[in-house]
Structures are given as structure tokens and as C-alpha cells.
Amino acid sequence: MTKVAIMLQNIVKCTLLFFVSASVASTPAHADLIKIETGTGLKAVYLLADEKSENIRVSAVILAGEADSNGPEGLAHYLEHLMFWHADGVHGSGKHNRGGNATAGGLITNYYNEGRRSELDDLFVFAQRLLTKPDLDREFMLAEKRIVAREYDLSVSEKPGRRAWFEMNRELYGPNPVGKSVYGTPQTIASMTLEQVEAFRSKHYVAENMVLLASGNLTETEVRHQVQKNFASLDKRDPNRQSWRHEPLTDGLSKRVEIADDRVKNDSYLYSSLSHWPGSGDPQQDYYTADFVKKLLRSSLPGSLEQPLRVDDFVVARYEVNLIRNLRNAVQFFFGARPDDGVDLAQVSQKLQESLVLLAQEGIPERSLERIRKRFAQEAERRNDDVDYALERAIAFLTAGLEPNDSADHLRRIARVSKADIDQLLTSVTNRQRTVEVNLVNKAL
């Protein structure tokens, strides 16, 4: 959700991933993570071996994001910029002659570097430098705020839909920091100080909050050697507990907001809710249940939103659905749609609520559940040697505050998702405690 010199892509893709806890010397037959014990203070180290790859990638994930900042909104993003340049030695020899990028999100911050085997030392040094104080010129660091402000202009100010998303989340989560925008606002960006940046860095950029993911034509021995060489002497610190994930929902809320912007091409309706969802007691399995429901609602299968919203009455021309579990005791439901011709936004709102209630009452058809299960398992089998896909899934699990699981467990959990768990989640979504609706309109049309 950021860029460092160039635009980066938005973070919030919710996918899955796997690791193998056994420490074995052989290379796995497909793209699976091996967890490596290194004897250092790092939260975890994983290897995704890929003998066919010409490049090596080292991703360093800091288990802290905007939700963990006590400073002005957008501080984690600003820090991500500075730490990337520092780790890359921008004022020294300049190691960035390869591929590399960083993404600051609300929940984690991800840095990666990619290069040839001859650059292996530099790739791990880059990751290690993320745990050291920035060695950058003060004027350079202050000037970087202009880049952060420009990203706000490009990614939020000039995109009314994204601006609406952030405004909706702020209202929806209330005092919980999950609702903060990683981009901040022009006012908060201008107010940020280097002292605030350092306070956030020194608290959260520690070994106990870092997960390393190395991929490419590497062995466990090589990864362990690099990690021990670069991270063995670091001081022990307390890890980030991310206690905000366990905070209860605040008091009920029902709010409607209208955002008028002459850059809006088509009037849109956005809806998001927070509902209490205790889940099964197994957060990893709950992740799969939520993913099943998301796949169902997005599909054209019986039990989805396709028929009541697009087939029977042609209420919407298109729609988007997501389910997010940032809090352990709650689930966020998001729905965004462009009404069909002649349908106003109030009609979409009414039809959505009616459809959700009906789906919850009827439950998911067994046939639809098995169709989704089959598609999910087939995708897992088909892409089991796709390294990039596996890495994306790893990041998604870490973003959710979960430990990645291996491919065998991934398939077991797909098979274990039950109709009862899905029906319970659908019922929870309809028993919403906090809701925010946004009408995004162009008054000039």
C-alpha cells in the first residue's frame, strides 16, 4: 500500500499459505515452506526452495503496521520509506542494483530484495539493517515526507473510492487502531516528526517482530549460515503483542455518509459492517471458513448474492464482496456495488439486507459447499509449485496474525470446513453491531 520511489500495490489481499516445521536437508517436491531453527532472536525464518529459479528473494516482514503506531496517522508508511533507503545504503555504496520494494500496511510492513546468488550476502545484510537506526541525512529524511504526501495525492485524494474506503473504516472501527489509514492525511503527514519515527522504529523494528522468508535456489544450510552471521548478536526485546486484535467491539453504530466528487464516473454504494463472531476457537480454521464464505458470495452458485442482486431483479451492474477478520472476536463484511440503470442507492441497500437475511436463514446449499471445496482444492494442487503464489499466501497469513501452515495442513483444512461453521458465520454477518454505508456520488452528473 505504498511506494518507494515508484508506486507499490495495495496490500489488503487475503490469501493462504503453508510451512513445514521439520528441518530436513532435502528440497521439497513442490513449493512448500520449511521452517528453519536458527538460534537467533528472530520471530521465525522460512525457506521456500526453488531449484529452477535464477534469482533469490529475501522478504523481511515486520509484525507491526499503522495499527501499532501511537503517532500521527501515516507514520508507519513514512518509516517504511526511510527504512528502505537506510537498508539499501542510499548514502553509502548503494546496494539497490537489483529488484526490491516495500509495503507498509495497517497490520504488518513487508520489505523484500531480490538478486543473483552472487548478491546473497547483500540480500541478508539489507534485512539485518532494517533492525538498526536509520543512517540517513536529516534533511533527506524530512524531504521524504513530500514523497509520502504525493502518494496520498495519487492513491487517495485522486481516487474517491479509496478515500471512501478509509473514511468508512475509521467510522466502523471507532477507537480501535485497525481503522487507521496507512496513507494518513495531508495534515497528519505534515505534522510527523523524526522523533516520532524513531520512537516507533525502536519499539517495533526488533528481531522478535521480524519474520524472514527466503526463496530461490538455496539450501537450509546457506540460510541458517546467513541468519546466524547477521542476526545472532542482536539484543533481545519484547515482541509486539498486537493486543488491539483482542479488543471487544465498541458500542453499536449505524451511520450513512455521502461523498460527492466530480471524478466519480458512476454512483456507487459501499457498505461495511462489524459483527461479533466467536468462531470455532481455532483461528486458522476460521480463516478458511471466512474464505469459503467470501468465495460463495462472490460466485454464481446457489446461495450467493449473484441471483438476488444481478439475475432476478438486475439491482446492480456489478458488485464486490470481502470478509476480513482483523479482530479475533469479530468479522468485517464489505460490499461495494454500482447500481444498474434506473436503480437508486437506497434500493441497493434494501435489497442487500434482504438478500443477506435470506441467505442466512436458508444456509449454504450442500452442493455449493462441495463445489467451492473442489475448486479450492484443485487450485491448491494446480499451483503447489508456484513460488510467488506461496509467498503471497505466507504474507496473507502473517497479516492475519497467524502462523503459516504447510501444504498438507492447507488441504486438510479445506476438507474440514463445515456447513455448520459457514452457516454460523452467515448468521453473524446479518447480526451486525456496527454498520457504515457510503453513497459515493457525482453531483455534477
Side-chain angles (χ1 to χ4, degrees), residues 60 83-84 86-87 111 125-132 205 210:
M83 293 306 294
F84 186 92
H86 163 65
Y111 301 81
V125 167
F126 177 96
Q128 187 272 336
R129 283 173 63 85
L130 292 170
L131 302 182
T132 62
Y205 277 57
M210 178 181 279

Side-chain angles (χ1 to χ4, degrees), residues 65-116:
E66 186 60 39
D68 301 289
S69 169
N70 293 323
E73 195 176 64
L75 190 69
H77 181 195
Y78 180 32
L79 174 61
E80 171 252 301
H81 277 235
L82 298 181
M83 293 306 294
F84 186 92
W85 292 131
H86 163 65
D88 205 45
V90 69
H91 284 317
S93 59
K95 297 182 176 61
H96 192 55
N97 297 316
R98 308 169 302 279
N101 233 325
T103 305
L107 314 181
I108 67 169
T109 307
N110 180 30
Y111 301 81
Y112 82 86
N113 245 272
E114 186 172 318
R116 301 286 183 171

Side-chain angles (χ1 to χ4, degrees), residues 128-146:
Q128 187 272 336
R129 283 173 63 85
L130 292 170
L131 302 182
T132 62
K133 187 175 181 178
D135 181 21
L136 297 168
D137 179 78
R138 183 178 178 86
E139 292 305 313
F140 175 88
M141 290 193 286
L142 291 173
E144 192 68 16
K145 285 206 293 184
R146 294 197 295 267

Side-chain angles (χ1 to χ4, degrees), residues 19-24 32-37 43-47 220 224 403-404:
F19 85 88
V20 174
S21 60
S23 181
V24 294
D32 214 354
L33 284 184
I34 303 170
K35 189 174 185 180
I36 301 176
E37 299 301 330
K43 174 71 173 180
V45 178
Y46 298 101
L47 166 63
E220 289 185 55
R224 187 179 291 107
E403 186 175 13

Side-chain angles (χ1 to χ4, degrees), residues 207-329:
E208 289 77 6
N209 290 340
M210 178 181 279
V211 175
L212 281 186
L213 298 151
S215 63
N217 190 6
L218 286 169
T219 66
E220 289 185 55
T221 299
E222 288 174 311
V223 173
R224 187 179 291 107
H225 169 72
Q226 286 289 342
V227 171
Q228 290 174 342
K229 180 172 70 172
N230 287 285
F231 296 93
S233 61
L234 296 175
D235 294 335
K236 302 292 183 182
R237 302 283 294 277
D238 291 332
N240 181 22
R241 303 297 182 185
Q242 295 191 319
S243 58
W244 42 261
R245 290 190 189 269
H246 302 276
E247 291 179 7
L249 293 180
T250 54
D251 295 337
L253 173 74
S254 180
K255 186 167 186 177
R256 183 185 294 272
V257 178
E258 181 168 282
I259 297 177
D261 195 305
D262 58 11
R263 287 165 292 192
V264 174
K265 295 180 180 179
N266 301 99
D267 288 357
S268 298
Y269 170 74
L270 307 179
Y271 168 88
S272 200
S273 67
L274 272 178
S275 305
H276 177 68
W277 180 40
S280 65
D282 181 347
Q284 283 187 317
Q285 190 62 37
D286 293 339
Y287 190 101
Y288 286 80
T289 299
D291 207 38
F292 263 64
V293 173
K294 179 172 62 179
K295 291 177 187 296
L296 167 69
L297 297 178
R298 288 177 174 178
S299 76
S300 57
L301 295 169
S304 74
L305 289 170
E306 180 77 2
Q307 184 166 325
L309 296 183
R310 295 195 70 236
V311 178
D312 289 347
D313 300 320
F314 299 99
V315 177
V316 299
R318 62 173 178 80
Y319 71 91
E320 176 187 355
V321 173
N322 204 356
L323 280 171
I324 306 165
R325 199 185 195 195
N326 292 326
L327 306 181
R328 283 288 176 262
N329 67 335

